[in-house]
Amino acid sequence: GRLTIKEFVQGVRHFAPASVLEDLRVRCCQQHERLSDPFMDLDHHRLLDSTSFSEQMVEIGLCDKSRSSDPRLAELQPGVPAQALFDILDVANNGEATFGRLLAALQSCGAGTTQRLSPIELDMRAKNDVKNDLAPMHKLVSDVKLQARQGMKYNEEVADENEFRT
C-alpha cells in the first residue's frame, strides 16, 4: 500500500517519541536566542501535573492553545499534543513532570546548542571553509608554476627546503 507523509510522521512519533523533543528544541531555537530562554522565569523544580504543564507551555508560547477548553489538548504543532511531551517527561509514570526535566532533555538532544550566526559571520565562515578546502590545490598550482618557470633547473629537494624556511 501507500504511506502518506502524515502517516509516516505519526509512525515516527509512535516508535521514536523523542522526535517530539527535537521538534520542540527546533521551535525554541527559532523563537529564542538560547534554548533556555523561554524557561528563565519558571520554577524548574516544581512538580506539575499534565494540565498545569500544558497551561505553562501555552503561557510561554511553546504550545498553541487548542480549540477545546482542556489545556492538555494544547499542541506543540498540528497533530502533536503537549500530552505526548508530558508523557516523555513523566519518567516515574506518576503523573508529574518538571520544567527542569524538560530543559535537561532539550539540552541533551539534537544537533547542538550553537547560536545562529549573522549573515556576515556566515559569509566569513564560508570564505574560510573554501580557503581551507582549496589550500592543497593552491599549493599544487604554485608548485606547478614554479616548476614551469624553472624548467629543467627545477630541483624538488631544494624547493621542499625553501618551503620549510618560509
Side-chain angles (χ1 to χ4, degrees):
R2 292 188 163 199
L3 185 66
T4 66
I5 293 173
K6 183 178 179 180
E7 292 170 335
F8 175 76
V9 171
Q10 287 174 338
V12 168
R13 289 204 175 101
H14 179 72
F15 290 106
S19 64
V20 172
L21 284 173
E22 179 59 19
D23 292 343
L24 182 61
R25 189 188 75 77
V26 169
R27 188 170 185 173
C28 286
C29 290
Q30 288 173 343
Q31 293 179 0
H32 302 278
E33 192 172 320
R34 287 185 305 271
L35 192 59
S36 60
D37 285 353
F39 308 102
M40 295 283 271
D41 298 329
L42 300 175
D43 180 3
H44 294 184
H45 303 290
R46 188 173 132 219
L47 291 172
L48 301 167
D49 64 3
S50 177
T51 304
S52 301
F53 180 82
S54 298
E55 288 171 349
Q56 287 282 319
M57 291 293 288
V58 169
E59 211 172 282
I60 62 176
L62 293 178
C63 277
D64 300 323
K65 191 167 176 104
S66 70
R67 293 182 185 107
S68 165
S69 61
D70 188 353
R72 290 175 298 171
L73 298 178
E75 295 182 327
L76 297 169
Q77 56 182 286
V80 183
Q83 183 65 42
L85 178 61
F86 183 84
D87 291 341
I88 291 171
L89 299 173
D90 183 14
V91 293
N93 206 20
N94 60 0
E96 298 174 332
T98 66
F99 276 103
R101 283 185 204 154
L102 175 58
L103 189 55
L106 290 173
Q107 289 174 336
S108 67
C109 74
T113 57
T114 59
Q115 292 182 346
R116 191 179 310 173
L117 298 176
S118 70
I120 294 170
E121 291 171 320
L122 286 172
D123 287 343
M124 286 176 50
R125 178 187 255 174
K127 285 178 185 177
N128 284 336
D129 287 349
V130 168
K131 184 178 178 181
N132 291 336
D133 289 345
L134 294 179
M137 243 345 125
H138 188 341
K139 182 180 178 339
L140 178 65
V141 169
S142 296
D143 289 348
V144 169
K145 284 181 180 179
L146 180 63
Q147 285 178 346
R149 283 190 203 116
Q150 291 184 353
M152 297 296 288
K153 297 178 186 175
Y154 180 75
N155 184 344
E156 201 169 311
E157 292 173 3
V158 173
D160 286 341
E161 287 177 15
N162 288 337
E163 181 182 320
F164 289 120
R165 289 183 194 161
T166 58

